[in-house]
Amino acid sequence: GAGVSQSPSNKVTEKGKDVELRCDPISGHTALYWYRQSLGQGLEFLIYFQGNSAPDKSGLPSDRFSAERTGGSVSTLTIQRTQQEDSAVYLCASSVVGTLAGTDTQYFGPGTRLTVL
Amino acid sequence: QKEVEQNSGPLSVPEGAIASLNCTYSDRGSQSFFWYRQYSGKSPELIMSIYSNGDKEDGRFTAQLNKASQYVSLLIRDSQPSDSATYLCAVRTGRRALTFGSGTRLQVQP
């Protein structure tokens, strides 16, 4: 079946502009995560959605970052007034939350490479 | 102190050798542990998951977990050039998101 998809694959924007990044999770996956990865670094957690529960926003670096998930499926990450330090690869992952807490496997999409000039 | 620490490498091993990748974590309440492989320019893919102390084997890969010492390792037997990648250790504590180390770059020399 289809994996996690993200769009666009690349985005170049000017400092101060807003950007929207989209994630389509695997069908049937109830959990959706956003991470970002700066050059040569590990992944940094941004936000987590699980079903109809309130999202875990504890990883968002500033109030310029927001995300929503419509209909329990597609998610959009919005970065307002982009800064050069926002340049990174933004990765989305999804999983099926099982009965044994913490054991679900996260499957990653190909990422969106954001470059802020 | 970082929550999840890995040696950045590169770790260079000859083809056919055993590659040993190590990871330490700071939160004793951590419950689940994962190793992801990431090729340059690609997204991470899961190699192994481990939840209990001891060893877990899957083909050429063995994950080892020692909760008392707060470390998790990944052994790759009969290393192949195609194993050359960055290996990310990830830990889950409480919340469902993962905390990642910065990765160890493995180079397998043919």
Side-chain angles (χ1 to χ4, degrees), chain A residues 33 35 37 40-45 47-48 50 56 58-59 91 95 97-98 100-111 113, chain B residues 2 6 8 31-34 36 38 40-46 49 51 86 88 90 92 94-103:
Chain A
Y33 312 78
Y35 297 87
Q37 187 173 31
Q41 300 298 310
L43 279 70
E44 173 190 5
F45 165 69
I47 188 169
Y48 158 61
Q50 167 52 33
D56 176 357
S58 60
L91 289 157
S95 71
V97 177
L100 188 58
T103 62
D104 51 299
T105 296
Q106 296 182 22
Y107 296 90
F108 284 84
R113 181 176 298 278
Chain B
K2 291 183 180 178
Q6 297 181 252
S8 62
Q31 306 156 311
S32 311
F33 308 85
F34 305 83
Y36 282 82
Q38 187 174 29
S40 181
K42 302 294 186 182
S43 57
E45 56 178 328
L46 182 71
S49 58
Y51 313 115
T86 296
L88 300 168
R92 177 176 281 140
R95 74 179 184 195
R96 307 310 296 251
L98 297 172
T99 301
F100 283 84
S102 56

Side-chain angles (χ1 to χ4, degrees), chain A residues 20-74:
Chain A
E20 285 189 351
L21 312 179
R22 177 187 168 103
C23 171
D24 276 277
I26 294 172
S27 177
H29 281 197
T30 56
L32 186 148
Y33 312 78
W34 283 98
Y35 297 87
R36 73 176 174 181
Q37 187 173 31
S38 300
L39 188 63
Q41 300 298 310
L43 279 70
E44 173 190 5
F45 165 69
L46 297 176
I47 188 169
Y48 158 61
F49 296 90
Q50 167 52 33
N52 295 321
S53 302
D56 176 357
K57 303 180 182 181
S58 60
L60 294 178
S62 78
D63 59 8
R64 296 186 296 105
F65 288 73
S66 62
E68 62 178 18
R69 188 178 185 192
T70 54
S73 182
V74 172

Side-chain angles (χ1 to χ4, degrees), chain B residues 57-76:
Chain B
E57 186 174 322
D58 183 0
R60 296 186 297 112
F61 299 95
T62 298
Q64 299 174 318
L65 175 61
N66 184 323
K67 290 187 177 181
S69 300
Q70 295 175 243
Y71 84 77
V72 57
S73 63
L74 179 70
L75 300 178
I76 306 174

Side-chain angles (χ1 to χ4, degrees), chain B residues 15-54:
Chain B
E15 184 174 356
I18 296 175
S20 177
L21 305 162
N22 299 312
C23 169
T24 59
Y25 59 94
S26 60
D27 191 332
R28 285 193 172 276
S30 298
Q31 306 156 311
S32 311
F33 308 85
F34 305 83
W35 283 99
Y36 282 82
R37 178 176 63 197
Q38 187 174 29
Y39 292 111
S40 181
K42 302 294 186 182
S43 57
E45 56 178 328
L46 182 71
I47 298 296
M48 293 282 289
S49 58
I50 186 166
Y51 313 115
S52 305
N53 278 328

